[in-house]
Amino acid sequence: GAGVSQTPSNKVTEKGKYVELRCDPISGHTALYWYRQSLGQGPEFLIYFQGTGAADDSGLPNDRFFAVRPEGSVSTLKIQRTERGDSAVYLCASSLGLAGGTQYFGPGTRLTVL
Amino acid sequence: QQQVKQSPQSLIVQKGGIPIINCAYENTAFDYFPWYQQFPGKGPALLIAIRPDVSEKKEGRFTISFNKSAKQFSLHIMDSQPGDSATYFCAASKGGYGNKLVFGAGTILRVKS
């Protein structure tokens, strides 16, 4: 693929519901990152995968957030019991996994929790 | 804790002007400093990046100046154009593998034609 793709582009849900956000990284990129961007703020790191394993999940705000990357390519960010404060743009980025490699971002999924 | 502080919050310049955006960091372990450009509805895109072993880097109309002792770095956009109107983010990371980026809050730039 040409770049990082994310689906859906927009997601509206009700408080308390479960949502899944999908990220398709650039082909061949072994490193994958999730960030969250609130309105008027810079992206904030959530979790980093190297291959299939979550190498750093220190940015996940609480145990309602979980992410997987079972085959080392596509990743899914899962949010349980959504809260209004979860409303944000969720960005995915990928890189070659080399030390200091450039991170390429997708367009994001805008999540709105009513 | 805000590890990367960015200013100004917004900036308006005339076409051809040289907007300057400043960032300051706290963590001396950071060794990679990229700048990203973001248009509405799009993800951030890398513009230019610098490592602390150099004090300046130029790529086209974009220049990063880096002051290691002051823990500050800045972005200069030469001959700015209306198409440069976007939000700019500085960031920092410790480099190495898993180099999660710590972003500044962003600067909204408007270039008037």
Side-chain angles (χ1 to χ4, degrees):
Chain A
V4 178
S5 61
Q6 293 186 245
T7 54
S9 56
N10 281 283
K11 176 71 177 178
V12 180
T13 190
E14 294 180 344
K15 179 175 180 292
K17 298 291 187 181
Y18 167 83
V19 297
E20 290 188 352
L21 312 179
R22 176 187 169 108
C23 172
D24 283 83
I26 294 171
S27 178
H29 281 194
T30 59
L32 185 145
Y33 306 77
W34 284 98
Y35 293 83
R36 178 168 71 174
Q37 186 173 24
S38 299
L39 191 63
Q41 298 296 317
E44 291 183 297
F45 169 79
L46 294 176
I47 187 169
Y48 153 66
F49 287 90
Q50 181 60 46
T52 60
D56 183 352
D57 64 359
S58 62
L60 295 177
N62 52 59
D63 62 4
R64 295 187 298 105
F65 289 74
F66 188 71
V68 296
R69 195 185 185 198
E71 299 179 354
S73 178
V74 171
S75 176
T76 304
L77 178 65
K78 308 180 180 192
I79 310 175
Q80 298 177 321
R81 304 183 304 279
T82 52
E83 300 178 356
R84 293 195 179 88
D86 299 335
S87 296
V89 175
Y90 289 81
L91 294 164
C92 176
S94 70
S95 77
L96 282 171
L98 303 175
T102 298
Q103 294 183 31
Y104 297 89
F105 283 81
T109 293
R110 180 174 298 279
L111 174 66
T112 303
V113 182
L114 301 177
Chain B
Q1 181 184 2
Q2 186 180 7
Q3 295 189 60
V4 179
K5 295 183 179 180
Q6 183 171 347
S7 63
Q9 193 171 17
S10 63
L11 188 55
I12 301 174
V13 299
Q14 290 292 135
K15 178 182 174 182
I18 305 175
I20 300 172
I21 305 171
N22 300 296
C23 283
Y25 63 97
E26 299 167 4
N27 190 340
T28 55
F30 288 148
D31 64 357
Y32 175 69
F33 303 90
W35 284 89
Y36 280 81
Q37 179 189 55
Q38 186 175 32
F39 292 104
K42 305 291 186 183
L46 179 68
L47 265 180
I48 185 172
I50 197 168
R51 295 194 182 274
D53 52 344
V54 297
S55 60
E56 186 176 277
K57 183 175 181 179
K58 292 183 180 180
E59 286 187 4
R61 295 185 294 109
F62 301 96
T63 299
I64 298 180
S65 297
F66 187 83
N67 186 329
K68 187 175 181 179
S69 61
K71 293 188 286 185
Q72 295 175 346
F73 57 111
S74 60
L75 176 70
H76 301 228
I77 305 176
M78 305 302 177
D79 187 28
S80 58
Q81 301 297 313
D84 295 329
S85 297
T87 300
Y88 291 81
F89 294 97
C90 61
S93 76
K94 295 180 184 178
Y97 293 95
N99 51 326
K100 61 187 180 187
L101 294 168
V102 178
F103 283 86
T107 296
I108 301 171
L109 172 66
R110 179 185 167 200
V111 181
K112 298 172 68 175
S113 57

